[in-house]
mmCIF file of all heavy atoms in Angstrom:
data_model
loop_
_atom_site.group_PDB
_atom_site.id
_atom_site.type_symbol
_atom_site.label_atom_id
_atom_site.label_comp_id
_atom_site.label_asym_id
_atom_site.label_seq_id
_atom_site.Cartn_x
_atom_site.Cartn_y
_atom_site.Cartn_z
ATOM 1 N N LYS A 969 -5.868 10.337 -6.226
ATOM 2 C CA LYS A 969 -6.771 9.353 -6.809
ATOM 3 C C LYS A 969 -7.144 8.401 -5.679
ATOM 4 O O LYS A 969 -6.451 8.326 -4.664
ATOM 5 C CB LYS A 969 -6.062 8.583 -7.922
ATOM 6 C CG LYS A 969 -5.608 9.458 -9.062
ATOM 7 C CD LYS A 969 -4.784 8.649 -10.035
ATOM 8 C CE LYS A 969 -4.212 9.564 -11.100
ATOM 9 N NZ LYS A 969 -3.251 8.881 -11.955
ATOM 10 N N THR A 970 -8.238 7.662 -5.851
ATOM 11 C CA THR A 970 -8.617 6.691 -4.830
ATOM 12 C C THR A 970 -8.486 5.276 -5.374
ATOM 13 O O THR A 970 -8.768 5.018 -6.542
ATOM 14 C CB THR A 970 -10.056 6.907 -4.319
ATOM 15 O OG1 THR A 970 -10.954 6.818 -5.418
ATOM 16 C CG2 THR A 970 -10.210 8.257 -3.646
ATOM 17 N N SER A 974 -6.929 -3.548 -1.851
ATOM 18 C CA SER A 974 -6.134 -4.499 -2.636
ATOM 19 C C SER A 974 -5.265 -3.798 -3.660
ATOM 20 O O SER A 974 -4.097 -4.135 -3.853
ATOM 21 C CB SER A 974 -7.039 -5.504 -3.355
ATOM 22 O OG SER A 974 -7.686 -6.328 -2.435
ATOM 23 N N ARG A 975 -5.824 -2.812 -4.324
ATOM 24 C CA ARG A 975 -5.065 -2.103 -5.357
ATOM 25 C C ARG A 975 -3.935 -1.264 -4.743
ATOM 26 O O ARG A 975 -2.853 -1.168 -5.314
ATOM 27 C CB ARG A 975 -5.993 -1.211 -6.191
ATOM 28 C CG ARG A 975 -7.109 -1.959 -6.861
ATOM 29 C CD ARG A 975 -7.060 -2.187 -8.352
ATOM 30 N NE ARG A 975 -6.316 -1.312 -9.193
ATOM 31 C CZ ARG A 975 -6.816 -0.319 -9.926
ATOM 32 N NH1 ARG A 975 -8.116 -0.067 -9.914
ATOM 33 N NH2 ARG A 975 -6.041 0.397 -10.702
ATOM 34 N N GLU A 979 -0.041 -1.791 -5.515
ATOM 35 C CA GLU A 979 0.775 -0.682 -6.011
ATOM 36 C C GLU A 979 2.047 -0.525 -5.188
ATOM 37 O O GLU A 979 3.142 -0.347 -5.733
ATOM 38 C CB GLU A 979 -0.026 0.626 -6.009
ATOM 39 C CG GLU A 979 0.722 1.826 -6.531
ATOM 40 C CD GLU A 979 1.111 1.734 -8.002
ATOM 41 O OE1 GLU A 979 0.569 0.887 -8.742
ATOM 42 O OE2 GLU A 979 1.985 2.522 -8.419
ATOM 43 N N HIS A 985 9.112 -3.868 -5.404
ATOM 44 C CA HIS A 985 9.784 -4.989 -6.046
ATOM 45 C C HIS A 985 10.368 -4.663 -7.416
ATOM 46 O O HIS A 985 10.852 -5.551 -8.116
ATOM 47 C CB HIS A 985 8.850 -6.200 -6.082
ATOM 48 C CG HIS A 985 8.592 -6.719 -4.704
ATOM 49 N ND1 HIS A 985 7.412 -6.474 -4.045
ATOM 50 C CD2 HIS A 985 9.382 -7.405 -3.848
ATOM 51 C CE1 HIS A 985 7.486 -7.017 -2.836
ATOM 52 N NE2 HIS A 985 8.671 -7.583 -2.692
ATOM 53 N N ARG A 986 10.388 -3.382 -7.773
ATOM 54 C CA ARG A 986 11.109 -2.974 -8.980
ATOM 55 C C ARG A 986 12.341 -2.136 -8.628
ATOM 56 O O ARG A 986 13.055 -1.695 -9.514
ATOM 57 C CB ARG A 986 10.188 -2.234 -9.950
ATOM 58 C CG ARG A 986 9.799 -0.855 -9.506
ATOM 59 C CD ARG A 986 8.973 -0.156 -10.553
ATOM 60 N NE ARG A 986 8.791 1.228 -10.153
ATOM 61 C CZ ARG A 986 7.907 2.039 -10.651
ATOM 62 N NH1 ARG A 986 7.112 1.630 -11.604
ATOM 63 N NH2 ARG A 986 7.810 3.265 -10.233
ATOM 64 N N ILE A 987 12.588 -1.944 -7.335
ATOM 65 C CA ILE A 987 13.792 -1.224 -6.884
ATOM 66 C C ILE A 987 15.000 -2.126 -7.099
ATOM 67 O O ILE A 987 15.011 -3.292 -6.695
ATOM 68 C CB ILE A 987 13.652 -0.794 -5.408
ATOM 69 C CG1 ILE A 987 12.528 0.241 -5.278
ATOM 70 C CG2 ILE A 987 14.967 -0.262 -4.859
ATOM 71 C CD1 ILE A 987 12.155 0.602 -3.862
ATOM 72 N N GLU A 989 18.017 -2.581 -5.860
ATOM 73 C CA GLU A 989 18.646 -3.298 -4.749
ATOM 74 C C GLU A 989 17.802 -4.470 -4.274
ATOM 75 O O GLU A 989 18.323 -5.531 -3.939
ATOM 76 C CB GLU A 989 18.919 -2.349 -3.576
ATOM 77 C CG GLU A 989 20.027 -1.350 -3.842
ATOM 78 C CD GLU A 989 19.553 -0.083 -4.549
ATOM 79 O OE1 GLU A 989 18.439 -0.063 -5.142
ATOM 80 O OE2 GLU A 989 20.307 0.902 -4.532
ATOM 81 N N ILE A 990 16.501 -4.300 -4.252
ATOM 82 C CA ILE A 990 15.596 -5.367 -3.802
ATOM 83 C C ILE A 990 15.559 -6.481 -4.834
ATOM 84 O O ILE A 990 15.634 -7.664 -4.491
ATOM 85 C CB ILE A 990 14.190 -4.793 -3.504
ATOM 86 C CG1 ILE A 990 14.273 -3.873 -2.276
ATOM 87 C CG2 ILE A 990 13.168 -5.911 -3.294
ATOM 88 C CD1 ILE A 990 13.014 -3.112 -1.961
ATOM 89 N N GLU A 992 17.923 -7.136 -7.070
ATOM 90 C CA GLU A 992 19.254 -7.737 -7.092
ATOM 91 C C GLU A 992 19.462 -8.720 -5.936
ATOM 92 O O GLU A 992 20.088 -9.765 -6.103
ATOM 93 C CB GLU A 992 20.310 -6.631 -7.038
ATOM 94 C CG GLU A 992 21.709 -7.104 -7.334
ATOM 95 C CD GLU A 992 22.666 -5.937 -7.413
ATOM 96 O OE1 GLU A 992 23.139 -5.482 -6.351
ATOM 97 O OE2 GLU A 992 22.926 -5.477 -8.543
ATOM 98 N N GLY A 994 17.097 -10.358 -4.477
ATOM 99 C CA GLY A 994 16.093 -11.415 -4.541
ATOM 100 C C GLY A 994 15.170 -11.455 -3.337
ATOM 101 O O GLY A 994 14.636 -12.506 -2.989
ATOM 102 N N LYS A 996 11.810 -10.754 -1.174
ATOM 103 C CA LYS A 996 10.360 -10.621 -1.334
ATOM 104 C C LYS A 996 9.831 -9.995 -0.054
ATOM 105 O O LYS A 996 9.794 -10.636 0.999
ATOM 106 C CB LYS A 996 9.725 -11.990 -1.590
ATOM 107 C CG LYS A 996 8.225 -11.962 -1.716
ATOM 108 C CD LYS A 996 7.787 -11.254 -2.974
ATOM 109 C CE LYS A 996 6.268 -11.375 -3.118
ATOM 110 N NZ LYS A 996 5.717 -10.329 -3.932
ATOM 111 N N PRO A 1000 1.714 -5.219 3.862
ATOM 112 C CA PRO A 1000 0.446 -5.373 4.591
ATOM 113 C C PRO A 1000 -0.701 -4.641 3.908
ATOM 114 O O PRO A 1000 -0.490 -3.819 3.018
ATOM 115 C CB PRO A 1000 0.749 -4.737 5.945
ATOM 116 C CG PRO A 1000 1.759 -3.682 5.625
ATOM 117 C CD PRO A 1000 2.612 -4.262 4.510
ATOM 118 N N PRO A 1002 -3.504 -1.830 3.635
ATOM 119 C CA PRO A 1002 -3.574 -0.463 4.162
ATOM 120 C C PRO A 1002 -4.674 -0.360 5.220
ATOM 121 O O PRO A 1002 -5.700 -1.034 5.121
ATOM 122 C CB PRO A 1002 -3.911 0.375 2.933
ATOM 123 C CG PRO A 1002 -4.499 -0.562 1.947
ATOM 124 C CD PRO A 1002 -3.935 -1.911 2.240
ATOM 125 N N LYS A 1004 -7.248 2.167 7.211
ATOM 126 C CA LYS A 1004 -7.947 3.456 7.132
ATOM 127 C C LYS A 1004 -7.645 4.259 8.397
ATOM 128 O O LYS A 1004 -7.549 3.692 9.490
ATOM 129 C CB LYS A 1004 -9.453 3.198 7.012
ATOM 130 C CG LYS A 1004 -10.269 4.414 6.722
ATOM 131 C CD LYS A 1004 -10.481 4.553 5.260
ATOM 132 C CE LYS A 1004 -11.569 5.580 4.995
ATOM 133 N NZ LYS A 1004 -11.599 5.976 3.629
ATOM 134 N N ASP A 1008 -4.579 12.789 7.609
ATOM 135 C CA ASP A 1008 -3.508 13.484 8.314
ATOM 136 C C ASP A 1008 -3.373 14.907 7.767
ATOM 137 O O ASP A 1008 -4.203 15.349 6.978
ATOM 138 C CB ASP A 1008 -2.195 12.703 8.215
ATOM 139 C CG ASP A 1008 -1.708 12.518 6.785
ATOM 140 O OD1 ASP A 1008 -2.182 13.227 5.872
ATOM 141 O OD2 ASP A 1008 -0.838 11.647 6.574
ATOM 142 N N ALA A 1009 -2.322 15.608 8.169
ATOM 143 C CA ALA A 1009 -2.127 17.002 7.748
ATOM 144 C C ALA A 1009 -2.046 17.149 6.231
ATOM 145 O O ALA A 1009 -2.458 18.164 5.676
ATOM 146 C CB ALA A 1009 -0.866 17.564 8.403
ATOM 147 N N ASN A 1013 -5.569 9.386 3.944
ATOM 148 C CA ASN A 1013 -6.491 8.722 4.876
ATOM 149 C C ASN A 1013 -6.138 7.267 5.160
ATOM 150 O O ASN A 1013 -6.984 6.490 5.578
ATOM 151 C CB ASN A 1013 -7.930 8.827 4.360
ATOM 152 C CG ASN A 1013 -8.174 7.980 3.127
ATOM 153 O OD1 ASN A 1013 -7.252 7.453 2.513
ATOM 154 N ND2 ASN A 1013 -9.431 7.848 2.757
ATOM 155 N N PHE A 1019 5.682 -4.230 7.685
ATOM 156 C CA PHE A 1019 6.106 -4.890 6.455
ATOM 157 C C PHE A 1019 6.943 -6.104 6.846
ATOM 158 O O PHE A 1019 7.757 -6.042 7.766
ATOM 159 C CB PHE A 1019 6.950 -3.941 5.608
ATOM 160 C CG PHE A 1019 6.138 -2.891 4.907
ATOM 161 C CD1 PHE A 1019 5.628 -1.808 5.598
ATOM 162 C CD2 PHE A 1019 5.886 -2.988 3.552
ATOM 163 C CE1 PHE A 1019 4.886 -0.840 4.957
ATOM 164 C CE2 PHE A 1019 5.130 -2.024 2.896
ATOM 165 C CZ PHE A 1019 4.635 -0.951 3.604
ATOM 166 N N ILE A 1023 13.816 -5.962 6.825
ATOM 167 C CA ILE A 1023 14.985 -5.507 7.583
ATOM 168 C C ILE A 1023 16.117 -5.193 6.608
ATOM 169 O O ILE A 1023 16.466 -6.003 5.750
ATOM 170 C CB ILE A 1023 15.417 -6.561 8.625
ATOM 171 C CG1 ILE A 1023 14.315 -6.703 9.677
ATOM 172 C CG2 ILE A 1023 16.752 -6.177 9.268
ATOM 173 C CD1 ILE A 1023 14.540 -7.821 10.656
ATOM 174 N N GLU A 1026 14.319 -0.670 5.026
ATOM 175 C CA GLU A 1026 13.358 0.283 5.587
ATOM 176 C C GLU A 1026 13.349 1.612 4.825
ATOM 177 O O GLU A 1026 12.286 2.208 4.641
ATOM 178 C CB GLU A 1026 13.652 0.551 7.077
ATOM 179 C CG GLU A 1026 13.467 -0.645 7.970
ATOM 180 C CD GLU A 1026 14.719 -1.512 8.115
ATOM 181 O OE1 GLU A 1026 15.710 -1.295 7.388
ATOM 182 O OE2 GLU A 1026 14.694 -2.418 8.971
ATOM 183 N N PHE A 1028 13.845 2.138 1.655
ATOM 184 C CA PHE A 1028 13.067 1.970 0.428
ATOM 185 C C PHE A 1028 11.576 1.896 0.731
ATOM 186 O O PHE A 1028 10.759 2.479 0.014
ATOM 187 C CB PHE A 1028 13.512 0.711 -0.331
ATOM 188 C CG PHE A 1028 14.956 0.744 -0.736
ATOM 189 C CD1 PHE A 1028 15.860 -0.158 -0.210
ATOM 190 C CD2 PHE A 1028 15.410 1.689 -1.650
ATOM 191 C CE1 PHE A 1028 17.191 -0.137 -0.583
ATOM 192 C CE2 PHE A 1028 16.734 1.723 -2.032
ATOM 193 C CZ PHE A 1028 17.641 0.809 -1.494
ATOM 194 N N LEU A 1033 6.328 4.226 0.373
ATOM 195 C CA LEU A 1033 5.107 4.531 1.120
ATOM 196 C C LEU A 1033 4.794 6.024 1.047
ATOM 197 O O LEU A 1033 3.639 6.403 0.814
ATOM 198 C CB LEU A 1033 5.265 4.077 2.569
ATOM 199 C CG LEU A 1033 4.011 3.865 3.372
ATOM 200 C CD1 LEU A 1033 3.021 2.961 2.671
ATOM 201 C CD2 LEU A 1033 4.361 3.295 4.743
ATOM 202 N N GLU A 1035 5.655 8.127 -1.340
ATOM 203 C CA GLU A 1035 5.219 8.424 -2.710
ATOM 204 C C GLU A 1035 3.765 8.020 -2.941
ATOM 205 O O GLU A 1035 2.971 8.786 -3.487
ATOM 206 C CB GLU A 1035 6.090 7.668 -3.721
ATOM 207 C CG GLU A 1035 7.505 8.144 -3.828
ATOM 208 C CD GLU A 1035 8.355 7.211 -4.679
ATOM 209 O OE1 GLU A 1035 7.808 6.258 -5.289
ATOM 210 O OE2 GLU A 1035 9.581 7.433 -4.733
ATOM 211 N N LEU A 1042 -7.334 5.886 0.232
ATOM 212 C CA LEU A 1042 -8.066 4.626 0.326
ATOM 213 C C LEU A 1042 -9.542 4.899 0.092
ATOM 214 O O LEU A 1042 -10.123 5.786 0.727
ATOM 215 C CB LEU A 1042 -7.839 3.998 1.703
ATOM 216 C CG LEU A 1042 -8.497 2.671 2.000
ATOM 217 C CD1 LEU A 1042 -8.053 1.592 1.023
ATOM 218 C CD2 LEU A 1042 -8.181 2.246 3.433
ATOM 219 N N ASP A 1046 -16.120 -1.018 0.876
ATOM 220 C CA ASP A 1046 -15.719 -2.157 1.696
ATOM 221 C C ASP A 1046 -15.738 -3.398 0.819
ATOM 222 O O ASP A 1046 -16.793 -3.918 0.480
ATOM 223 C CB ASP A 1046 -16.676 -2.301 2.880
ATOM 224 C CG ASP A 1046 -16.277 -3.420 3.825
ATOM 225 O OD1 ASP A 1046 -15.272 -4.112 3.557
ATOM 226 O OD2 ASP A 1046 -16.975 -3.605 4.831
ATOM 227 N N SER A 1053 -22.068 -9.829 -0.515
ATOM 228 C CA SER A 1053 -23.343 -9.607 -1.192
ATOM 229 C C SER A 1053 -23.507 -10.533 -2.392
ATOM 230 O O SER A 1053 -24.631 -10.865 -2.784
ATOM 231 C CB SER A 1053 -23.486 -8.143 -1.621
ATOM 232 O OG SER A 1053 -22.547 -7.831 -2.622
#
Side-chain angles (χ1 to χ4, degrees):
K969 299 174 186 172
T970 58
S974 293
R975 302 253 335 260
E979 181 64 16
H985 293 103
R986 72 176 188 196
I987 294 172
E989 289 86 343
I990 292 173
E992 192 174 83
K996 178 69 174 156
K1004 189 94 167 166
D1008 61 16
N1013 70 349
F1019 285 75
I1023 295 173
E1026 295 89 351
F1028 300 115
L1033 200 52
E1035 291 171 7
L1042 181 59
D1046 183 358
S1053 67

